Amino acid sequence: MSTSGFTTIDFVILVVYLLLVLFAGLFFSKKDMEGKEFFKGDGSIPWYVTSVSIFATLLSPISFLTLAGNSFAGSWMLWFAQLGMIVAIPITMKFFLPIYAKLDIDTAYDYLERRFDSKGLRVIGSLMFIIFQLGRMSIIMYLPSVALATLTGISVNILIIVMGVIAIIYSYTGGIKSVLWTDFIQGVVLLIGVTISLFFLARDINGGFGEIFSALGDNKFLAGDEAIFDPNILKTSVFMMIVGAGFNTLSSYISSQDIVQRFTTTTDTKKLNKMMITNGLLSIFIATAFYLIGTGLYVYYKVQNPNDPGSSIAQDQIYAYFIAYRLPVGMTGVLLAAIYAASQSTLSTGLNSVATSWTLDIQEVITKDMDDKAKTALARAISLGVGIFAIVISIIMAHSDIKSAYEFFNGFMGLILGVLGGTFALGIFTKKGNKHGAYAALIASALVMVFIKYGLPSEAVSIWSYSLISISVSLLVGYPVSLLSPIKTEAPKFTTVSDIKEIKEDPTNPIR
C-alpha cells in the first residue's frame, strides 16, 4: 500500500495518460473535417463510443469526488436519483429521439426554430446554454485541479493549463469525432479505475464486501427518517427522487446541446436507443460503485480504524485521500488519471458544444449563407477562445474568493437552462402549441422557478421537484396562450408526437 501519497511512478502514469489522450485526439482529427462532419461526425463513429461519451459527459469530476462522500457521511438516499434514468430514458426513446432523427436536426435549438418557426427562440435557447456552459467549464477545471494539486504537489496553475490546452487541441483540430473518441477513452479509464479501487477497498476491510453490505442493513442504506413515499410532491422521498431526478435528466437529454449533439451523429433510432440504454446502465453502475465505496470508506475509517487520520477528513475529500494513501503505487496514478478524465471529457464536450451552438444557432442567423469552410473556421476560433477564457477564469478562481459567487452564478444559470425542457415539451406533446405560447411558457416557468429557488426557504420545495414544476408550468401556461393567440399555420410535419407513428411506418426512412 502507498503511505506517501503521490509517487514518481504515479506521476509517470498520469503523464503517459495525458499524452495518450492527446495523441488519440490528434489521430482521429487527421481527416480534414468541415461543416456538418466537424459538428456531427462522418457517420463512422460506433454507437457504443457515443454512448460512453454521453456517460462521461454527464459524470462531472465534482460528482466523482462527492458521490462517495455522500454515502460515507450519510445514507444512500441520493443514489435513488440515478434510478431516474428508468423514467428519463424510455420517455426520450419513445417521444423525442424518433423526431430528432427524422428531422436530422443540427442542434437542440434547431428543433425550437423548426417547431415554432422562431429564430428568436433558437437564439435564446442557444445563449442560455452557452452562458451556462461558460460558468460550468470554469468550475469543472478549477475544483478538481485544486484537489489534485493538494494530493500531488503539482501547481494548480499547471494542472489547469495542461487540462485546458489538451482539450483545446483535440477539440480545435478534430471536431466532434475527436471529442467522442477521447471521451470514450476517458470513460473507460474512469470505469476501470473506480471498479478496481472498490475491490482494493474491500480487501482492506476486515470482512470485505460482507461488512459493507452489513453496514447497509444498519441504517446506511436508508435512515429511519427518510421516506420511501410522501404524498406531498414538494417534499423529498425515494419516489420523488426517482421521478424528479428522472425529469431533471430528461430535460438534459432533450434540451442540452452537449447531449443532443451526440444524438445528431446518427439518424438510426436503433443505434440511438442502444446509446440510451447503455448510457443508463453505465450511469447506474458507476453510481452504485461510488456509493459502495462511500459505505466501505465509512466501515474502514469510522468503524474499524477510527484512529486513522483519514477518519477526520471532510466527506468530499475522503475518496481522494483513500486514493492517495491506501492504494498501491501506480494505482494512485490511474485513479488520479480517472479524476482528470472526468474533468477533460466534460471540458472538451463543453468547448465543442459551445462552438457548435454559437456557429449554427447564432452566427448563421446573423450571417446567412456561410459556407462549410467559414463555419468550421469560426467554430475552431470559438473553441480556442472559449478554452482560453475558461483557463483564465479557473486560475483566477484558484487564487481568489470568487468560488462562492461563481457557484451562485452556475446554479442560477443551471436552473434557468432547465426551464428549456418545458418549452421542448410544449413543442413535442402539443400540436396547437405555437411561438406565442412558447415564449409565454419560457417566461412563466423561469419566473416561477426563480421565485421558488430564491424567494422561498430552501426546505419549502425539494430540488427534485424543480423539473416537474417547470415542465408543468410551461404546459399549463404555454398551451392556453397558444389557443388564445392562434397562428394560421399548424405545427410543421414530423415535429410532434402525433407524427411518430407515421415516422416509424415510412418505408423509406432509415430509422424504422
Side-chain angles (χ1 to χ4, degrees):
M1 292 295 175
S2 171
T3 58
S4 58
F6 193 68
T7 66
T8 302
I9 294 175
D10 296 316
F11 177 75
V12 170
I13 289 173
L14 183 59
V15 170
V16 169
Y17 163 76
L18 292 174
L19 290 175
L20 172 65
V21 169
L22 177 59
F23 288 134
L26 292 174
F27 174 80
F28 289 108
S29 68
K30 283 184 178 178
K31 182 180 177 182
D32 187 20
M33 304 180 84
E34 288 188 349
K36 285 201 172 184
E37 287 191 348
F38 185 84
F39 301 116
K40 301 171 71 171
D42 57 1
S44 67
I45 305 167
W47 65 266
Y48 57 84
V49 170
T50 307
S51 181
V52 174
S53 174
I54 296 173
F55 158 75
T57 296
L58 289 174
L59 183 69
S60 76
I62 300 170
S63 300
F64 193 112
L65 293 169
T66 59
L67 286 179
N70 288 336
S71 58
F72 170 76
S75 70
W76 277 46
M77 186 66 172
L78 290 175
W79 173 79
F80 287 97
Q82 298 300 317
L83 298 188
M85 293 282 184
I86 65 179
V87 174
I89 289 175
I91 294 175
T92 305
M93 288 169 53
K94 182 173 179 61
F95 298 115
F96 290 89
L97 293 187
I99 292 172
Y100 286 179
K102 174 64 178 178
L103 293 175
D104 193 17
I105 58 174
D106 292 329
T107 71
Y109 317 109
D110 181 15
Y111 171 78
L112 292 180
E113 180 184 351
R114 297 199 202 188
R115 170 62 182 85
F116 295 112
D117 189 26
S118 173
K119 291 185 183 296
L121 279 173
R122 180 173 186 172
V123 171
I124 290 172
S126 177
L127 283 173
M128 291 170 69
F129 169 78
I130 289 170
I131 294 171
F132 165 74
Q133 277 293 344
L134 288 175
R136 184 171 186 248
M137 283 189 288
S138 299
I139 295 171
I140 289 300
M141 294 177 71
Y142 159 69
L143 291 179
S145 293
V146 169
L148 286 174
T150 302
L151 291 174
T152 64
I154 300 172
S155 165
V156 67
N157 292 352
I158 293 175
L159 287 169
I160 290 172
I161 291 170
V162 169
M163 181 190 300
V165 167
I166 291 176
I168 289 170
I169 289 174
Y170 64 76
S171 299
Y172 180 94
T173 55
I176 189 64
K177 186 174 182 180
S178 286
V179 170
L180 291 177
W181 274 103
T182 49
D183 277 2
F184 175 73
I185 294 171
Q186 318 225 51
V188 170
V189 170
L190 193 155
L191 286 164
I192 292 174
V194 171
T195 304
I196 291 176
S197 74
L198 173 59
F199 282 94
F200 273 108
L201 173 59
R203 191 185 71 171
D204 275 2
I205 295 171
N206 294 328
F209 281 105
E211 285 299 305
I212 295 177
F213 289 112
S214 177
L216 289 178
D218 187 22
N219 286 333
K220 283 300 286 182
F221 188 64
L222 276 181
D225 60 346
E226 292 174 332
I228 293 177
F229 177 78
D230 190 322
N232 183 352
I233 67 168
L234 301 182
K235 300 297 181 182
T236 298
S237 66
V238 169
F239 174 78
M240 199 61 239
M241 291 281 289
I242 296 173
V243 175
F247 277 87
N248 287 347
T249 303
L250 175 67
S251 292
S252 293
Y253 281 156
I254 65 176
S255 65
S256 189
Q257 171 60 14
D258 51 350
I259 306 301
V260 175
Q261 188 175 11
R262 273 104 183 106
F263 300 154
T264 67
T265 59
T266 179
T267 57
D268 186 334
T269 49
K270 289 182 179 179
K271 291 181 179 179
L272 288 170
N273 290 343
K274 288 179 182 178
M275 284 182 205
M276 295 298 295
I277 293 170
T278 303
N279 169 61
L281 292 174
L282 289 176
S283 297
I284 292 173
F285 167 78
I286 203 69
T288 303
F290 277 131
Y291 275 83
L292 284 172
I293 288 169
T295 304
L297 292 171
Y298 166 80
V299 172
Y300 181 80
Y301 287 112
K302 293 296 188 181
V303 178
Q304 297 185 355
N305 299 282
N307 295 323
D308 189 293
S311 63
S312 60
I313 296 293
Q315 69 176 73
D316 289 346
Q317 299 173 19
I318 187 64
Y319 185 33
Y321 179 87
F322 173 80
I323 290 171
Y325 292 99
R326 292 301 304 169
L327 290 182
V329 172
M331 274 308 303
T332 297
V334 172
L335 262 295
L336 293 181
I339 295 176
Y340 222 70
S343 305
Q344 276 203 315
S345 61
T346 305
L347 176 60
S348 61
T349 293
L351 292 175
N352 189 264
S353 59
V354 166
T356 299
S357 193
W358 180 273
T359 302
L360 300 183
D361 292 321
I362 297 175
Q363 193 63 42
E364 201 168 19
V365 172
I366 299 171
T367 309
K368 296 180 180 179
D369 300 323
M370 292 177 65
D371 59 24
D372 286 347
K373 188 173 182 179
K375 291 177 186 176
T376 307
L378 177 61
R380 285 183 168 142
I382 291 170
S383 290
L384 178 61
V386 169
I388 294 172
F389 173 83
I391 289 173
V392 171
I393 296 299
S394 296
I395 292 175
I396 291 173
M397 291 172 68
H399 298 281
S400 68
D401 296 325
I402 200 172
K403 174 185 173 184
S404 59
Y406 240 91
E407 286 179 340
F408 173 84
F409 168 81
N410 192 45
F412 176 76
M413 285 315 304
L415 179 70
I416 298 301
L417 185 63
V419 168
L420 277 173
T423 309
F424 278 80
L426 177 69
I428 291 282
F429 292 113
T430 70
K431 201 167 183 67
K432 292 186 180 296
N434 58 36
K435 64 181 178 183
H436 301 308
Y439 278 113
L442 193 65
I443 294 169
S445 59
L447 291 174
V448 168
M449 295 314 300
V450 168
F451 172 73
I452 289 174
K453 176 73 173 177
Y454 301 108
L456 296 177
S458 59
E459 66 275 7
V461 180
S462 168
I463 62 170
W464 306 105
S465 304
Y466 282 8
S467 284
L468 272 175
I469 294 171
S470 63
I471 290 174
S472 298
V473 169
S474 294
L475 294 174
L476 290 173
V477 172
Y479 190 68
V481 169
S482 297
L483 294 179
L484 292 171
S485 55
I487 294 176
K488 290 183 180 180
T489 57
E490 284 196 348
K493 200 169 182 59
F494 304 129
T495 59
T496 69
V497 292
S498 61
D499 301 313
I500 288 178
K501 183 178 180 181
E502 186 177 350
I503 290 173
K504 291 182 177 179
E505 291 178 351
D506 181 358
T508 65
N509 198 320
I511 70 171
R512 292 181 67 206

